[in-house]
Amino acid sequence: MGKNIGIFFLAFAIAFGAGYLFFKPSVNQDQTATEQPTQPTEPTKEQAGTDTANSSEGEILVTRGCISCHAVSALGLEGANTGPDLSQSYVNVPDKHGVSIEEFLINPTTAVMSSVLGGNPLTDEEREAVLEALRLASEK
């Protein structure tokens, strides 16, 4: 038992040291210290309008944590890739799950979504906001 622990720590030290040497930053410390921080640029009116529109359209999806598993690329929401992109879910859910998207949000037909929404169901207002956001995403 003690021999195995010793082998474990030796292997850990070798792997840690090799990882440090392999991923060691190659930037010179003096060069980093003399670099001036860049000033953030002001977004153009078009960028600001797009960002505002995207954030308000998909705000409920951010608030409810949908993007922790899903992206909604049509709304510019970069989410995780655990679940599918929801951009066309408003159109695709009935064919894929056999129920309307509103029914799916009330009683999900998948085990994963049942576990997600089962313990913290959407209120009527939240469900309407999600439906509106997904409808807008499907139209883009």
Side-chain angles (χ1 to χ4, degrees):
M1 178 74 175
K3 183 178 175 183
N4 289 338
I5 291 174
I7 291 171
F8 172 78
F9 283 114
L10 179 62
F12 177 78
I14 291 171
F16 184 76
Y20 177 77
L21 292 175
F22 185 74
F23 292 107
K24 184 178 179 181
S26 60
V27 178
N28 186 350
Q29 294 278 340
D30 295 334
Q31 183 182 11
T32 303
T34 58
E35 291 179 2
Q36 297 294 324
T38 58
Q39 296 292 327
T41 58
E42 293 292 324
T44 64
K45 289 181 180 179
E46 291 175 359
Q47 290 172 331
T50 302
D51 291 343
T52 302
N54 286 344
S55 64
S56 64
E57 291 172 348
E59 183 178 338
I60 186 66
L61 302 173
V62 175
T63 303
R64 285 296 302 207
C66 304
I67 63 167
S68 62
C69 296
H70 300 277
V72 187
S73 58
L75 297 180
L77 297 174
E78 299 291 328
N81 293 327
T82 306
D85 188 318
L86 298 178
S87 295
Q88 292 301 312
S89 62
Y90 191 82
V91 177
N92 296 338
V93 163
D95 290 337
K96 188 173 180 181
H97 298 285
V99 295
S100 70
I101 190 166
E102 186 171 1
E103 290 176 42
F104 183 82
L105 292 173
I106 295 170
N107 292 315
T109 58
T110 64
V112 172
M113 288 306 297
S114 292
S115 67
V116 170
L117 293 176
N120 190 13
L122 297 170
T123 64
D124 291 342
E125 293 172 352
E126 290 173 331
R127 188 171 45 257
E128 290 299 320
V130 168
L131 289 170
E132 180 64 16
L134 295 177
R135 185 187 63 77
L136 291 172
S138 70
E139 293 175 352
K140 290 188 176 186

